[in-house]
Amino acid sequence: MPDQPVHAPYDALLLLSFGGPEGPEDVVPFLENVTRGRGIPRERLKEVGQHYFLFGGVSPINDQNRELLRALREEFAAHGMDLPVYWGNRNWAPYLTDTLRQLVADGHRRVLTLATSAYASYSGCRQYRENLADALAALQAEGLPLPRVDKLRHYFNHPGFVRPMVDATLAALGELPEAVRQGAHLAFTTHSIPTAAADTSGPAGQHGDGGAYVAQHLEVARLIAEAVREQTGVERPWRLVYQSRSGAPHIPWLEPDICEHLEAVHGEGASAVVMVPIGFVSDHMEVKYDLDTEAVAKAAELGLPVARAATVGADPRFAAAVRELVLERAATERGERPERCALGALGPSHDLCPAGCCPARALRPAAAGADSPYA
């Protein structure tokens, strides 16, 4: 009997992402998908879409996912892994349901999912799992065979995710004028979410002030700040700050906002700021607009020099980290006890999201978790 592949029992990897418009005519339909069920008027969506129209109506996330697909396929091939990689989105083509339908047509029955979100939260994990459950329900209604779908653990503290950001922070510091570099502060940015969602992020035992969402981001910020100090010999002030708030003004969201933070540190005498978008896997619209456009404009208004570190994107170390995570999960599913790689004090995350992890406001089925109806 031939040896089983190193990625057994899995026979496919699914790259699961948010999606984005690919032209001006896509912008409003895309935003309708994102906001479906919230009753937001079309005219308001046109206003929100101005961010995309500034960039020709094209979100950079799609090309960045294509580049990550290429990097993953090359990484797998270089290590003799014959594991096909598919791509599906929550809100735009290629749609998740269509991709799962194709996976089934191609004969795959055991699928491992990589979500382009590294941290625990409803919008960053549970909602992806709900989308997977919706897609599986659609396949079931069509009478198609259902694949078993699992999800890779959170990779926020994997060396292949953290170390590229350390190098990116050092490179951004190098972009600052030498006269202000020594006194530059570090602002680690991530997507703001409602404080209620943050407080209930992660397993129930981690719920509380900020939950796992804030704790995980603080840990990554600390790891990067310490590595930068070790390599530069300079102890720099740093803070976790937030961006891209989109909710109603009466609902509390995580603060401070990056622009408010720039004002504050400028008032305190900071010579410059490096913005490090640790909450984002790639340089998509919320990085390009909220940081490179809006925050840079605020810094120019203040006369504060700023630089922005690159996200991980398709860095070869991240592609290698995904390969390692696939092999780790595959070995675990085979009953083995592989080494689980993680930096810092929090340790590796769980493989299977427990019941009560990042709960939704309204109960909906979610795949790839302990409470999955599609085990």
Side-chain angles (χ1 to χ4, degrees), residues 172-237:
L173 280 166
E175 295 171 7
L176 292 170
E178 190 173 353
V180 301
R181 194 177 302 152
Q182 190 81 357
H185 290 212
L186 304 179
F188 296 99
T189 76
T190 190
H191 206 301
S192 184
I193 61 175
T195 56
D199 292 346
T200 57
S201 58
Q206 297 175 26
H207 291 178
D209 189 14
Y213 186 75
V214 171
Q216 291 171 359
H217 280 87
L218 283 172
E219 178 72 346
V220 172
R222 182 188 66 79
L223 288 167
I224 297 172
E226 287 187 358
V228 169
R229 175 185 55 77
E230 290 172 2
Q231 296 197 45
T232 63
V234 178
E235 185 82 43
R236 300 180 185 280

Side-chain angles (χ1 to χ4, degrees), residues 110-124:
R110 195 74 190 272
V111 181
L112 192 52
T113 303
L114 166 67
T116 54
S117 176
Y119 302 86
S121 70
Y122 171 73
S123 57

Side-chain angles (χ1 to χ4, degrees), residues 174-299:
E175 295 171 7
L176 292 170
E178 190 173 353
V180 301
R181 194 177 302 152
Q182 190 81 357
H185 290 212
L186 304 179
F188 296 99
T189 76
T190 190
H191 206 301
S192 184
I193 61 175
T195 56
D199 292 346
T200 57
S201 58
Q206 297 175 26
H207 291 178
D209 189 14
Y213 186 75
V214 171
Q216 291 171 359
H217 280 87
L218 283 172
E219 178 72 346
V220 172
R222 182 188 66 79
L223 288 167
I224 297 172
E226 287 187 358
V228 169
R229 175 185 55 77
E230 290 172 2
Q231 296 197 45
T232 63
V234 178
E235 185 82 43
R236 300 180 185 280
W238 64 268
R239 185 164 183 182
L240 176 63
V241 301
Y242 302 93
Q243 61 174 91
S244 312
R245 173 179 174 143
S246 58
H250 68 280
I251 298 175
W253 283 52
L254 294 173
E255 297 177 335
D257 177 77
I258 177 62
C259 290
E260 294 171 354
H261 178 69
L262 293 176
E263 289 182 341
V265 297
H266 178 255
E268 295 165 5
S271 66
V273 174
V274 169
M275 300 180 291
V276 189
I278 60 172
F280 305 92
V281 172
S282 64
D283 285 9
H284 56 62
M285 186 59 71
E286 287 166 321
V287 176
K288 292 292 188 183
Y289 182 80
D290 296 344
L291 293 184
D292 295 353
T293 304
E294 204 168 49
V296 166
K298 171 57 71 174

Side-chain angles (χ1 to χ4, degrees), residues 72 75-76 152 155 158-161 315-328:
L72 291 172
E75 174 70 18
F76 290 176
L152 286 174
Y155 46 84
H158 193 287
F161 186 68
D315 188 289
R317 290 168 291 183
F318 181 50
V322 173
R323 175 179 55 81
E324 291 170 9
L325 288 167
V326 168
L327 296 180
E328 172 199 294

